[in-house]
Amino acid sequence: QNGRTYDLGSMDLNAGSYSDISFILDSDNPAYVQYKDNTTSKIDFENSSNEYEVVGEFEITAESQTDLVADVDLRKALVKTSTEGEFMMRSTARLIEANASGTISGTISNYNEMKTDMEEREVEGKTVVFAYTKGSYSEAEKGDPDGSGVKGRFENAVNSAVVAEDGTFTLAFMNEADYEIVVASFEKSKTEPESKEYEFSSLIE
């Protein structure tokens, strides 16, 4: 998050145009979620048993280096698939050429007042910033589109970020475009267990 990356290595490719990359997992080391108590839940992939596809066009030029970033927004990619806590990884990741991308950063100016209000109401909250390509956001985005829980709220956001404790946010590896920013509040009661999910509360003007 916030522009930090993990280096997966490099390889030689023939010059040309490409449309996706795939991460192939070792069948002996399946993907999983690990909780704070060290228990785990299995992760299945949307279209394959051990392959995670990331779609995005890029060019490889002879005698040059292309730096690619696979940006996996877990808010959208990682979803529960059953009451037993199993998960599915959706193929929603973005593939970006790092040297042709930019960063959107900002501050929620009244964030301290928002936190004070939540304390008075005895709720915990997270504020999330969503970036939409200009003109693509509609009010329907803040609802659950099909009730299945697979496609969630703010499904068509290009990127999202949780606002930090100091009210700042960073949306990294953004392709050149005009964007509009949507800010939403998610809350839960302070009496709820840690495992309880934050629920959508409202958009923030």
Side-chain angles (χ1 to χ4, degrees):
Q1 295 185 1
N2 301 317
R4 296 190 300 271
T5 58
Y6 180 83
D7 187 7
L8 290 175
S10 62
M11 66 182 70
D12 293 327
L13 293 173
N14 292 328
S17 299
Y18 293 82
S19 61
D20 64 87
I21 63 173
S22 291
F23 298 106
I24 311 299
L25 272 73
D26 185 337
S27 59
D28 294 330
N29 293 285
Y32 61 91
V33 169
Q34 181 170 317
Y35 301 99
K36 289 183 177 180
D37 63 3
N38 291 323
T39 59
T40 61
S41 285
K42 180 183 177 183
I43 298 177
D44 293 318
F45 293 107
E46 187 172 26
N47 300 315
S48 172
S49 60
N50 69 332
E51 179 178 341
Y52 188 64
E53 183 182 37
V54 184
V55 176
E57 296 183 356
F58 61 96
E59 295 283 336
I60 298 295
T61 306
E63 305 300 326
S64 68
Q65 177 173 311
T66 300
D67 294 318
L68 297 176
V69 174
D71 183 32
V72 183
D73 188 344
L74 289 181
R75 173 195 65 85
K76 188 159 52 174
L78 188 66
V79 297
K80 286 186 176 179
T81 57
S82 72
T83 56
E84 287 76 33
E86 298 297 300
F87 290 88
M88 178 180 70
M89 196 77 164
R90 300 174 61 208
S91 295
T92 59
R94 301 185 301 135
L95 193 61
I96 308 105
E97 291 193 40
N99 59 358
S101 67
T103 298
I104 299 172
S105 59
T107 302
I108 307 298
S109 60
N110 61 335
Y111 196 61
N112 287 333
E113 290 90 334
M114 289 171 53
K115 290 194 292 185
T116 299
D117 173 68
M118 285 187 289
E119 289 175 2
E120 291 175 350
R121 293 187 289 112
E122 296 187 338
V123 298
E124 296 179 5
K126 289 187 181 292
T127 303
V128 184
V129 175
F130 302 91
Y132 282 83
T133 305
K134 187 176 181 180
S136 66
Y137 176 77
S138 70
E139 285 294 304
E141 284 287 297
K142 67 181 183 181
D144 188 345
D146 59 8
S148 69
V150 175
K151 289 186 176 181
R153 291 181 172 86
F154 307 103
E155 174 71 15
N156 295 305
V158 175
N159 201 357
S160 66
V162 176
V163 177
E165 281 300 306
D166 62 357
T168 61
F169 64 87
T170 300
L171 295 159
F173 303 112
M174 303 294 292
N175 287 326
E176 182 177 357
D178 291 328
Y179 294 97
E180 54 186 311
I181 301 299
V182 177
V183 185
S185 176
F186 295 79
E187 298 179 353
K188 69 177 180 180
S189 171
K190 285 188 175 181
T191 60
E192 298 282 0
E194 188 176 15
S195 58
K196 173 70 175 177
E197 294 180 12
Y198 290 86
E199 296 183 354
F200 172 71
S201 174
S202 64
L203 293 183
I204 297 174
E205 296 294 336

